[in-house]
Amino acid sequence: MPALTSRAIQIDAPGGPEAMQLRQIEVPEPGPGEVRVAHRAVGLNFIDVYHRTGLYPLGMPSTLGMEAAGVVDAVGSGVTHLQPGDRVAYVAATPGSYADARTLPADTVCRLPDAISFDTGAAMMLKGLTAQYLLRRVRGQHEVKAGDFILFHAAAGGVGLIACQWARAMGLQLIATAGSEEKCALALVNGASHAINYRTENFAERVREITGGAGVKVVYDSVGKDTFEGSLDCLMPFGLMVSFGNASGPVPPVAPAVLAQKGCLYLTRQTLFVHMRGREATQAMADDLFAAVESGDVKIHIDQRFALTDVQEAHRSLEARKTTGCSVLML
């Protein structure tokens, strides 16, 4: 089977949005354990900015993008869970989805239920599976149960809006933070029990007020440097600080004694692909996400759609915090 020609967005060196260039590339025939997917829609995520700027280094030249949805075009030997013509969605550990098509390992590619559209599938895999592992798999000393308070930063973003809805379905009292009154209102509409505008309020003080001084069992923080210290002050003794991103910059080194002083806290740095190791784990996580979406407990909000050729504008909007919910590139 011959290679396909595809449009792709590539960079030759780290840089600003202008570093991304539209090119024609060849998409090879799948080898053992691989599939080739013809994309219908591609997801945009803040990790794409990290890759473009070099915060997370890549080999060069590199095609950006972590997730997409489309149709299986060809299947390599040893792949048994997919066949040509299947509707699929994926998030991949290696970038390369900003393209019309790509060949990739089949392990993280999942059949997309007929009830879920391609653009929804493309928008939800990285963000939805991130919310899934945060709420359903990450555990500290305290067991999180219905009625408990948790704190979720950047709650009006793609991961955050999914987490707000999923937490509501689980009976959790999610305290959301966001950077504007409009974003706070959005988090509340999507299931947050309380919302704090961190630009106008001290979020640590407000969390203590909301919880009657007790603090929360878990903080989920993808913001990083700007919120880390305040997040520790929101936790009850033996609480769990879950760091899973660096939108404001990397967190500085932390002295273990600080964790002791603030209540013998637990600190973990989480990444999605450790949870997705192995075909069985990936499918189980995806099934949980698909069920939440199909039941209506979680609705995927796609608030921005861009053409592939408008990817520079898309990245500028991401970096300027002008986006809410999910963003996709339409092909």
Side-chain angles (χ1 to χ4, degrees):
M1 188 177 296
L4 293 180
T5 299
S6 167
R7 297 179 303 164
I9 301 296
Q10 292 191 327
I11 59 172
D12 293 321
E18 67 282 354
M20 296 182 292
Q21 300 298 319
L22 180 67
R23 293 179 177 153
Q24 295 288 327
I25 63 169
E26 285 196 348
V27 184
E29 178 183 352
E34 294 182 331
V35 293
R36 188 166 63 193
V37 179
H39 295 154
R40 297 292 186 268
V42 174
L44 281 155
N45 297 281
F46 215 91
I47 194 173
D48 304 344
V49 174
Y50 298 161
H51 286 145
R52 192 201 76 225
T53 60
L55 179 63
Y56 294 172
L58 300 175
M60 297 296 167
S62 184
T63 303
L64 299 180
M66 304 291 287
E67 66 180 343
V71 176
V72 173
D73 172 74
V75 175
S77 63
V79 177
T80 58
H81 69 288
L82 297 171
Q83 60 186 5
D86 282 347
R87 302 174 75 253
V88 294
Y90 70 83
V91 54
T94 303
S97 66
Y98 283 13
D100 292 320
R102 76 177 292 193
T103 298
L104 74 162
D107 279 354
T108 62
V109 181
C110 300
R111 285 187 181 179
L112 186 66
D114 290 340
I116 300 177
S117 67
F118 286 123
D119 54 349
T120 297
M124 77 180 188
M125 292 301 285
L126 190 151
K127 292 173 280 289
L129 291 177
T130 297
Q132 195 277 341
Y133 86 73
L134 290 172
L135 293 175
R136 311 279 273 186
R137 296 169 65 93
V138 179
R139 292 290 180 266
Q141 175 169 304
H142 297 300
E143 183 66 27
V144 179
K145 60 184 184 300
D148 285 342
F149 285 101
I150 62 174
L151 176 65
F152 209 102
H153 289 298
V159 175
L161 290 182
I162 294 171
C164 285
Q165 297 173 74
W166 213 326
R168 175 175 56 189
M170 293 169 64
L172 301 175
Q173 298 193 67
L174 184 147
I175 303 172
T177 73
S180 70
E181 294 304 318
E182 293 77 13
K183 289 186 175 183
C184 285
L186 187 59
L188 290 169
V189 167
N190 280 275
S193 299
H194 304 270
I196 302 168
N197 182 344
Y198 63 79
R199 296 190 188 279
T200 60
E201 297 183 273
N202 182 310
F203 71 82
E205 291 180 359
R206 283 286 294 123
V207 165
R208 290 290 173 179
E209 291 174 8
I210 291 167
T211 62
V216 299
K217 283 188 175 179
V218 188
V219 174
Y220 302 95
D221 190 347
S222 64
V223 176
K225 176 175 63 69
D226 289 353
T227 52
F228 183 81
E229 289 190 15
S231 293
L232 297 182
D233 292 331
C234 294
L235 286 162
M236 63 174 55
F238 307 108
L240 175 63
M241 173 68 189
V242 182
S243 173
F244 68 102
N246 314 287
S248 67
V251 175
V254 180
V258 171
L259 302 177
Q261 293 162 6
K262 292 183 180 292
C264 297
L265 305 178
Y266 289 76
L267 168 63
T268 181
R269 179 59 166 93
Q270 294 284 313
T271 58
L272 172 62
F273 294 105
V274 175
H275 288 274
M276 290 178 62
R277 285 186 299 182
R279 173 75 205 140
E280 289 185 5
T282 298
Q283 192 64 57
M285 293 171 65
D287 287 346
D288 197 20
L289 172 61
F290 294 156
V293 172
E294 289 185 287
S295 71
D297 284 343
V298 172
K299 292 181 172 61
I300 306 301
H301 297 279
I302 302 175
D303 294 336
Q304 296 81 211
R305 289 176 169 84
F306 301 90
L308 183 66
T309 51
D310 292 331
V311 67
Q312 293 186 6
E313 176 191 347
H315 271 233
R316 290 188 182 98
S317 295
L318 279 177
E319 289 184 280
R321 308 293 198 276
K322 292 181 179 178
T323 63
T324 56
C326 301
S327 302
V328 295
L329 299 173
M330 301 303 296
L331 302 175

